[in-house]
Amino acid sequence: MNVYDSQRIADILENMGYKPATQIKNADIILFNTCHIREKAAEKLFSDLGRVEIVKNERSLDGKETIIGVVGCVVQAENEQIAKRAPFVNFATGPLTYHRIPEILARIARDKKICIIDTDFPAESKFDFLPENHAHGGCAYLAVQEGCNNFCTYCIVPYTRGVETSRPLEDVIKEAKELVNSGVLEINLLGQNVNCYHGEDASGKERSLAYLLNCLSEIDGLKRLRYTTSYPADMTDELILCHKNLKKLMPYLHLPLQSGSDKILKAMNRRHDSKQYLQIIEKLQNANPDLRFSSDFIVGFPGETDKDFEATLNLAKQINYIQSFSFKYSRRAGTPAAVYPNQVEEKVKQQRLQILQQELFAMQLDFNQKCVGKTMPVLFESSARNKGEIFGRTPYMQTIVVKGGKENLNLIKNVTVTCGGTNSLTGTLE
Ligand code: 5AD
Ligand code: SF4
């Protein structure tokens, strides 16, 4: 979602006549889009701000002004900290108000000294004010839903991104068609809880994500559809059926499990236990036997014992994820779990993370190696690090590098996989 937001902010600025700077010292405006999901992500902002303060001071010696702005969830949660620790910041806006950047910049131009902080949960939808979603290549993100009402006890998102809202169906379809008209072949529908999408159609009737996917799959020229991130308990039968019926829907689904222990899932306030999660996986697998899964995991949630952790390891192995993101539990001020008494020691969290990641990487490597010899359609995205090589993505989101020229970029071509590593594949263009 942050990548999407950053692209949309770039669209706003380009609309105002700004162009991307090739070097930071040439930038008239420097913006940070921030994440507050874990402590490490938030702390990074303050070290980066220290770096750009030096740039701002150096430019000021040359008589050049530099506007420094911070956007995103850290602003929503820590605006006072930003003003205190980085008083040279000109403005800060939360993730729901970045459509106001033109207005903010105009105010800064008028009154040079002010620092504007906007952490509203606005009544208006920012999507009604954003410029057209420009295609940045063959794949595009399209936000359809924002915010979350699930209130998992570890998670800051409901407090920073606000309550759940869905964009109207027609707006999403219009944006998708515009993207396809400008060369997009793959659309990834985004939302913190994307599968609870319930946007209104023109008659005011609420429509599901399954309905939206059916509409989008009829767009000529659109080749691939994905959606992320899904909440397991919201995987309806109607949505599961899409994985059987819609050929454009890619056979890869991100379905965060978080923990394999029912006790921990309950303490996390997840609306599923391990058995229900497995049933959903089974239904999806029956709908499309080629479907494979990825997950998020948290280790060291308060009260997690060795036995709970073992349950996570076992369930992960049983489901055989092909990609995963795993994190040590991070206390987020204001969330219920931050004040749970039975916090897990840092050393234990670290050990568990290492053990889990070892298993997850082994599964990922195994899947990638099993792809060797197979031919897959790959959507090429950009040049690779080595000259004469390009990289793209398989239907399973694996990165794959092949020898080939730029004429293949933003196109889907068949590739035979020749080698499978943990993080990427190599192959030859057919
Ligand atoms: N600590 C660690 N990981 C977290 N996540 C969300 N909140 C926390 C937290 N407090 C993880 C979850 C979520 C992913 C986006 O980030 O696994 O699915
Ligand atoms: Fe956070 Fe996801 Fe839970 Fe919502 S469903 S509270 S975004 S972890």
Side-chain angles (χ1 to χ4, degrees):
M1 188 66 101
N2 268 20
V3 173
Y4 171 85
D5 287 337
S6 297
Q7 286 173 351
R8 302 317 315 275
I9 293 165
D11 290 342
I12 294 175
L13 292 172
E14 285 188 33
N15 240 24
M16 296 177 71
Y18 286 93
K19 289 199 166 54
T22 47
Q23 286 185 297
I24 198 162
K25 65 174 194 226
N26 297 332
D28 296 320
I29 168 160
I30 302 172
L31 281 188
F32 290 97
N33 190 14
T34 63
C35 176
H36 200 247
I37 198 122
R38 285 171 294 277
E39 193 176 0
K40 236 183 175 171
E43 267 311 306
K44 203 167 174 296
L45 169 69
F46 291 103
S47 67
D48 284 340
L49 280 174
R51 215 162 39 85
V52 297
E53 185 187 13
I54 299 170
V55 176
K56 184 170 175 143
N57 291 341
E58 281 170 359
R59 279 174 52 90
S60 134
L61 292 177
D62 291 340
K64 291 179 188 153
E65 244 186 87
T66 314
I67 293 169
I68 297 179
V70 185
V71 187
C73 293
V74 175
V75 177
Q76 209 66 37
E78 294 194 20
N79 58 66
E80 281 170 19
Q81 281 291 318
I82 293 172
K84 218 189 292 166
R85 287 175 68 176
F88 51 88
V89 165
N90 298 88
F91 75 92
T93 73
L96 304 179
T97 44
Y98 63 74
H99 59 292
R100 295 178 181 162
I101 287 177
E103 191 185 313
I104 291 172
L105 291 177
R107 279 174 61 198
I108 290 173
R110 240 185 359 243
D111 180 358
K112 301 235 164 352
K113 289 236 149 40
I114 54 175
C115 171
I116 299 168
I117 297 198
D118 186 347
T119 51
D120 252 15
F121 285 110
E124 80 271 13
S125 162
K126 69 176 172 231
F127 297 104
D128 293 338
F129 296 86
L130 295 177
E132 196 173 301
N133 186 358
H134 291 142
H136 298 259
C139 314
Y141 289 123
L142 202 174
V144 301
Q145 176 282 329
E146 190 164 19
C148 185
N149 296 347
N150 284 323
F151 291 94
C152 300
T153 52
Y154 51 82
C155 185
I156 196 74
V157 168
Y159 310 93
T160 54
R161 291 255 175 194
V163 292
E164 192 283 318
T165 53
S166 292
R167 292 179 65 192
L169 183 86
E170 307 298 334
D171 289 8
V172 174
I173 295 174
K174 181 168 166 277
E175 195 169 319
K177 284 183 177 163
E178 283 167 359
L179 287 168
V180 173
N181 283 340
S182 50
V184 164
L185 300 177
E186 172 178 315
I187 292 181
N188 195 341
L189 303 179
L190 295 183
Q192 270 79 37
N193 189 184
V194 72
N195 58 341
C196 81
Y197 175 83
H198 55 96
E200 288 184 2
D201 68 10
S203 71
K205 187 170 164 41
E206 288 198 343
R207 298 294 191 175
S208 63
L209 183 67
Y211 186 91
L212 173 62
L213 286 168
N214 273 282
C215 296
L216 296 179
S217 74
E218 277 168 23
I219 298 177
D220 277 341
L222 179 64
K223 306 284 186 211
R224 293 176 164 192
L225 271 168
R226 305 180 188 274
Y227 58 93
T228 193
T229 291
S230 295
Y231 189 72
D234 292 334
M235 287 305 301
T236 60
D237 287 345
E238 187 199 18
L239 183 55
I240 291 170
L241 199 61
C242 290
H243 287 275
K244 180 176 176 156
N245 295 337
L246 302 182
K247 295 291 160 254
K248 291 182 184 180
L249 197 52
M250 291 293 97
Y252 173 79
L253 183 67
H254 186 58
L255 199 61
L257 170 64
Q258 312 296 0
S259 167
S261 151
D262 290 340
K263 180 190 96 189
I264 295 295
L265 286 170
K266 196 153 184 257
M268 286 177 164
N269 191 32
R270 302 283 288 179
R271 283 183 283 116
H272 60 86
D273 60 19
S274 56
K275 200 165 143 220
Q276 287 160 332
Y277 185 92
L278 275 171
Q279 280 166 350
I280 297 161
I281 294 280
E282 200 181 302
K283 279 191 197 175
L284 282 159
Q285 206 74 82
N286 287 338
N288 179 3
D290 291 333
L291 191 56
R292 303 302 299 264
F293 304 94
S294 63
S295 180
D296 292 341
F297 294 93
I298 297 176
V299 297
F301 184 81
E304 186 189 69
T305 61
D306 283 343
K307 207 167 136 239
D308 296 318
F309 174 62
E310 217 161 281
T312 302
L313 272 179
N314 289 339
L315 199 53
K317 279 192 233 171
Q318 192 178 341
I319 292 159
N320 204 4
Y321 293 104
I322 64 166
Q323 210 190 356
S324 289
F325 306 90
S326 43
F327 316 100
K328 286 184 278 187
Y329 167 69
S330 168
R331 285 167 98 158
R332 309 314 289 131
T335 61
V339 289
Y340 286 178
N342 40 5
Q343 300 287 328
V344 173
E345 251 184 280
E346 178 61 27
K347 203 175 81 198
V348 176
K349 285 188 205 172
Q350 185 58 40
Q351 279 167 350
R352 288 183 187 160
L353 186 67
Q354 227 166 355
I355 296 167
L356 178 63
Q357 288 189 336
Q358 211 168 10
E359 288 297 339
L360 296 171
F361 287 146
M363 290 189 265
Q364 192 168 320
L365 178 64
D366 183 56
F367 180 71
N368 287 349
Q369 288 181 337
K370 284 196 175 119
C371 291
V372 175
K374 290 191 177 146
T375 300
M376 299 195 211
V378 170
L379 172 49
F380 287 102
E381 291 182 14
S382 70
S383 300
R385 212 175 303 142
N386 294 332
K387 212 167 163 225
E389 290 185 346
I390 49 173
F391 102 89
R393 288 195 191 270
T394 71
Y396 294 100
M397 283 288 251
Q398 297 146 298
T399 4
I400 185 159
V401 176
V402 305
K403 281 205 165 56
K406 285 188 178 155
E407 68 279 6
N408 298 298
L409 297 185
N410 307 325
L411 296 175
I412 296 175
K413 297 269 176 95
N414 275 336
V415 171
T416 303
V417 181
T418 51
C419 184
T422 307
N423 292 318
S424 69
L425 309 172
T426 47
T428 47
L429 263 172
E430 254 192 10

